[in-house]
Amino acid sequence: MQYHIEGMDCASCVRKIETALARMPGVSDIQLNFATEKLELSLAPDSDTQYRDIEKTIKRLGFGISATTDQANAADNDSDNQLNTQQQRWWQTKKGKQVIGLGVLMSVAYTLALIFPDYGTWVFAIAVIVGVFPFARKSVVLAMTGSPFSIEMLMSIAAIGALIIGEAEEAAAVVFLFSVGELLESVAADRARAGIRALASLVPKTAILLDAQGRQHTVPVGSLQVDDLVLIRPGDKVSADGVIVQGNSSLDDSPVTGESIPVAKAIGNTVFAGSINVDGALQVRVQKTAADNTIARIINLVEQAQASKAPTARFIENFSRYYTPAVMAIAALVILVPTLAMGGEWSTWLYRGFALLLIACPCALVLSTPAAIASGLAVGTRRGLLIKGGSALETMGRVNVVAFDKTGTLTEGKPRVTDVIAFTQKRPDQEYIGYENQSKLLAIFASVESASSHPLAKAIIDHAKAAQISIPVASKAYATAGKAVHATVDERPLAIGSPVYATEKSLLSMDQQADIEVLQKAGKTVSVLFDEQSDEVLGLIALRDELRDDAKEGVAQLKAMGVRSVMLTGDNHLTAQALAHHLNIEWEAELLPEDKLRSLNEMKDNSKIAMIGDGINDAPALATADVGIAMGGGTDVAIETADIALLKNRVTDVAHLIALSRATMANIHQNVVFALGLKAVFLITTLLGITGLWIAVIADTGATVLVTLNALRLLRFKGAQPLNALSKTK
């Protein structure tokens, strides 16, 4: 079951709801996301608890609730509800109306107190009773549902206690200021949720569907199906993920990837829902439905990330469970010890004890970490850094070794054929069994590779097609993981393998090894074609994958930040050495997937490791590392396995990630100091009788607002400094 919850101001609200629901029979798997206001739970079909009981319980706790029927509706309703919440001004909300009402009541009380001073206390007493009633009722419900140490309970006890000891005017001020604080927290929380609303609004609501006759129909985006044809006019937002089948244009992908410069795209290029078509009209073949497009996946991953708790957040949340009862016990001692043991006045120490109860509110402390984490995740998403949880964001700042895969990570992942070398050999009967020219050899290479999805295989096939070479049909294709691909072509069992594999099988002559070495020293990757029946080498093909433009800058930035970089590749030693020398990076070559795991596990003994890759073969290593990072253009398996995805495919974004994590953790530490430090100061001043109840409320509210505003500062995060700035700093 899924619900949309309204009225949560801080992370402690989540705990109140979860605690209440956990006590209900048949309710399990409770997941409540403060940032997205989404509640998911399981309800046993034979349970005495009904869905109406769930809704009733949450409403009794003082929160709004609306049910959704399925995942698709949930997404739509979440977006609509959040947009409605955004459109409401603060004075239109329930808490805003309560503050205005209490403000009017307080004004009337002060006015009547001036006109009828003898009745002033009674007027303020009425204001206290009217104002505290909603909070007192909520505190009773919370106590009955498993949350006795709520801020509502603390405030109600303090306000009613102050009224009993004759401090009616100050009790009224406490109720009013507390209501103002609740409103400020609500406004701040809504500001923090703006990121999800912004994402949800990127995709247009309607699309222009082209039918078989080319006629245009305006339809809801949610109705689009795979293979539908849609028209994207100049200035329109792209309505679906798809591929261009007609037209060319420049597209602004910044809403999706964060890339600020429009990208020229033509027939065959992929487009993303939410991108903006700058100049030309496009016809796009839909590849993903609205529920599965890039924006929807980003929203889903961000929601999951915000729902997951960072280790620091879990620690503080557990700490707060003991903190509040402990402070309540101290407040009781403050009241009892001076009066019973030292003869102090009851009214004085009751007053100070009640003030201490208000200072004990843990809202600011509980909010200190999730507010910063939510801001960090939001700014990361805006920069094209899709971080799947607070734990990954927190761990990234402690990383001191970054391991890079080569192909598609440090390089463009678009290898191109540079050399095709055919070998000819003769049998004793003098018949040629090799391939006497490059075209025939290239055709056989492409045929054997036709069943492979490896980037090198695709490059070979594309090169053959571009040369308009006819590719023979292969059969019995299979692969030896990390070593070779095999197929039968023209009834000959052939294989394409690495030079290492060919050497292991003793296939290469001295001259052939020399040819390979020359190519590898030029930074090229070489594959060997051989006949598995006769063990004769038929030819070589060489490819080169150019380094990304920002690869050298990215590695240098990491070094400047004190982070060690290592390249782990399955490519040969000579090619790896040539690239590593250019990047000034450590390297290990000729690694199988299991070798990468071994290397990572060895490094993990003394370091925090981040692994960056883009292929299916990188998925185990991404899962093994402390933080797995996938290039956004990589395979779905790599992206799903990784903790973080770099949507802009930039190596420099790794340094941005580490800088963002460090800034977030610094922000959390500041928030904890603010939350505890402010309370400590007013704790002392309250015990000394310098400050009273209304100051205690301001201290609590002020700490919460201060923590929230400090967390929102992260939204202005600019990223890691470029190298020229770092050198100037030094």
Side-chain angles (χ1 to χ4, degrees):
M1 301 181 69
Q2 294 184 338
Y3 294 93
H4 179 81
I5 307 298
E6 296 177 0
M8 294 188 295
D9 300 328
C10 69
S12 62
C13 296
V14 173
R15 191 169 71 245
K16 293 171 184 175
I17 296 173
E18 289 178 340
T19 300
L21 294 178
R23 295 163 65 96
M24 301 181 72
V27 177
S28 61
D29 302 326
I30 304 164
Q31 295 182 357
L32 178 55
N33 190 329
F34 168 70
T36 62
E37 301 177 289
K38 181 186 290 185
L39 169 65
E40 295 184 4
L41 57 86
S42 296
L43 180 61
D46 57 349
S47 171
D48 292 336
T49 302
Q50 301 297 315
Y51 71 91
R52 295 184 185 85
D53 300 323
I54 294 172
E55 296 178 2
K56 183 178 179 181
T57 297
I58 292 176
K59 288 178 180 177
R60 286 176 62 209
L61 293 174
F63 302 101
I65 178 172
S66 55
T68 56
T69 56
D70 53 41
Q71 186 69 30
N73 288 342
D76 294 339
N77 289 344
D78 281 346
S79 301
D80 294 340
N81 286 335
Q82 288 164 352
L83 289 171
N84 290 336
T85 303
Q86 184 186 35
Q87 293 167 356
Q88 279 191 320
R89 302 296 184 183
W90 67 265
W91 58 82
Q92 297 172 316
T93 64
K94 180 180 178 181
K95 292 182 179 180
K97 293 175 181 177
Q98 184 175 355
V99 167
I100 293 172
L102 284 173
V104 171
L105 193 60
M106 288 285 291
S107 300
V108 171
Y110 274 111
T111 302
L112 291 177
L114 290 173
I115 299 174
F116 306 105
D118 293 339
Y119 299 97
T121 300
W122 292 103
V123 175
F124 281 113
I126 294 172
V128 171
I129 293 170
V130 173
V132 84
F133 179 75
F135 299 112
R137 183 177 60 183
K138 185 176 180 179
S139 69
V140 172
V141 174
L142 287 169
M144 294 172 62
T145 54
S147 302
F149 303 114
S150 62
I151 178 58
E152 289 82 5
M153 178 67 77
L154 301 181
M155 193 279 294
S156 299
I157 293 173
I160 295 171
L163 184 62
I164 292 172
I165 62 175
E167 298 290 345
E169 182 177 348
E170 196 155 3
V174 165
V175 175
F176 176 70
L177 290 173
F178 182 80
S179 299
V180 172
E182 290 269 289
L183 177 62
L184 290 175
E185 289 177 8
S186 180
V187 171
D190 189 64
R191 173 90 180 273
R193 294 185 181 108
I196 292 290
R197 288 198 298 267
L199 283 173
S201 65
L202 288 178
V203 181
K205 298 294 184 184
T206 60
I208 300 175
L209 178 67
L210 298 176
D211 61 20
Q213 288 74 40
R215 291 176 300 213
Q216 300 180 12
H217 306 275
T218 301
V219 299
V221 166
S223 68
L224 293 178
Q225 300 297 317
V226 174
D227 289 333
D228 279 351
L229 192 64
V230 294
L231 174 66
I232 313 296
R233 300 168 302 189
D236 284 353
K237 285 185 178 181
V238 177
S239 51
D241 283 11
V243 62
I244 299 173
V245 296
Q246 183 176 317
N248 57 76
S249 180
S250 296
L251 278 91
D252 179 3
D253 287 340
S254 59
V256 183
T257 66
E259 180 60 61
S260 58
I261 301 174
V263 180
K265 296 193 178 184
I267 295 174
N269 291 141
T270 300
V271 296
F272 303 108
S275 297
I276 301 169
N277 186 17
V278 178
D279 39 40
L282 300 173
Q283 290 187 18
V284 173
R285 182 76 63 188
V286 176
Q287 291 185 316
K288 294 180 180 178
T289 62
D292 194 39
N293 65 32
T294 302
I295 293 293
R297 290 179 64 192
I298 290 174
I299 291 174
N300 185 49
L301 290 171
V302 170
E303 288 180 352
Q304 292 176 7
Q306 292 183 334
S308 66
K309 294 184 175 69
T312 302
R314 287 195 296 268
F315 170 77
I316 289 180
E317 189 173 293
N318 290 331
F319 172 75
S320 68
R321 293 177 181 176
Y322 300 99
Y323 164 83
T324 305
V327 175
M328 290 189 72
I330 293 173
L333 292 175
V334 166
I335 295 172
L336 297 174
V337 172
T339 52
L340 298 179
M342 296 181 289
E345 291 186 6
W346 277 99
S347 59
T348 299
W349 290 103
L350 275 171
Y351 180 87
R352 294 179 184 178
F354 293 146
L356 187 58
L357 286 178
L358 295 177
I359 295 173
C361 173
C363 280
L365 181 63
V366 172
L367 190 62
S368 60
T369 298
I373 292 291
S375 291
L377 294 173
V379 74
T381 302
R382 195 171 62 200
R383 293 184 62 90
L385 312 175
L386 187 54
I387 307 166
K388 301 181 185 178
S391 181
L393 178 60
E394 183 174 325
T395 304
M396 196 66 205
R398 302 199 300 271
V399 163
N400 49 18
V401 176
V402 175
F404 290 93
D405 176 52
K406 178 180 74 69
T407 304
T409 304
L410 289 171
T411 63
E412 292 283 353
K414 299 176 182 177
R416 294 175 177 84
V417 174
T418 59
D419 303 88
V420 180
I421 301 174
F423 297 135
T424 57
Q425 300 179 13
K426 293 182 179 180
R427 287 179 176 168
D429 59 7
Q430 300 300 305
E431 291 181 1
Y432 282 98
I433 61 168
Y435 295 94
E436 65 274 11
N437 62 60
Q438 290 184 346
S439 295
K440 286 186 178 180
L441 182 66
L442 180 58
I444 300 303
F445 262 107
S447 179
V448 177
E449 294 279 20
S450 59
S452 174
S453 61
H454 193 280
L456 296 181
K458 186 176 184 299
I460 293 171
I461 295 168
D462 289 345
H463 188 72
K465 289 180 178 178
Q468 297 183 338
I469 293 173
S470 177
I471 302 174
V473 177
S475 61
K476 300 178 182 178
Y478 67 97
T480 302
K483 294 183 178 181
V485 291
H486 313 261
T488 299
V489 181
D490 295 334
E491 298 184 357
R492 298 181 66 180
L494 304 176
I496 298 174
S498 66
V500 173
Y501 183 66
T503 302
E504 288 175 355
K505 296 180 72 67
S506 302
L507 302 177
L508 298 172
S509 67
M510 296 294 291
D511 290 341
Q512 291 166 348
Q513 289 178 351
D515 289 340
I516 291 171
E517 188 171 338
V518 170
L519 294 169
Q520 290 177 337
K521 283 184 176 179
K524 299 175 182 179
T525 299
V526 180
S527 294
V528 182
L529 174 66
F530 56 91
D531 187 315
E532 292 196 283
Q533 189 171 4
S534 63
D535 283 345
E536 291 169 328
V537 177
L538 306 177
L540 307 175
I541 194 164
L543 305 94
R544 181 158 55 199
D545 187 8
E546 301 299 332
L547 287 170
R548 292 186 183 274
D549 293 338
D550 67 332
K552 191 171 184 178
E553 172 80 5
V555 171
Q557 282 185 350
L558 291 173
K559 185 176 181 180
M561 298 172 75
V563 179
R564 171 184 159 215
S565 298
V566 181
M567 181 176 71
L568 305 178
T569 178
D571 214 337
N572 67 85
H573 278 80
L574 292 175
T575 301
Q577 186 176 27
L579 293 175
H581 177 74
H582 183 72
L583 291 173
N584 191 23
I585 189 176
E586 298 178 38
W587 58 278
E588 293 183 37
E590 298 180 7
L591 300 176
L592 297 175
E594 56 266 31
D595 296 324
K596 290 184 180 181
L597 289 181
R598 173 188 49 76
S599 182
L600 285 174
N601 284 322
E602 289 174 357
M603 288 188 285
K604 280 180 69 176
D605 290 339
N606 303 309
S607 307
K608 282 284 184 184
I609 307 292
M611 173 69 194
I612 308 173
D614 78 320
I616 292 175
N617 64 320
D618 296 320
L622 295 176
T624 299
D626 295 299
V627 181
I629 304 173
M631 284 291 184
T635 64
D636 287 344
V637 174
I639 293 174
E640 293 299 330
T641 304
D643 304 299
I644 300 170
L646 307 181
L647 299 183
K648 289 162 64 175
N649 293 320
R650 293 177 184 253
V651 180
T652 49
D653 279 345
V654 182
H656 293 325
L657 270 173
I658 294 176
L660 175 60
S661 174
R662 292 177 179 177
T664 302
M665 294 310 297
N667 192 281
I668 289 172
H669 296 152
Q670 293 164 5
N671 284 348
V672 171
V673 170
F674 290 154
L676 294 180
L678 202 59
K679 289 180 182 297
V681 169
F682 285 103
L683 172 65
I684 295 171
T685 57
T686 298
L687 292 176
L688 295 176
I690 300 173
T691 55
L693 285 173
W694 66 276
I695 290 291
V697 176
I698 291 177
D700 170 60
T701 301
T704 302
V705 173
L706 190 62
V707 161
T708 303
L709 293 178
N710 188 51
L712 291 175
R713 278 195 315 112
L714 279 171
L715 297 176
R716 299 198 300 270
F717 175 78
K718 300 299 182 184
Q721 289 182 298
L723 274 185
N724 54 1
L726 289 171
S727 60
K728 289 177 183 178
T729 304
K730 292 180 180 179

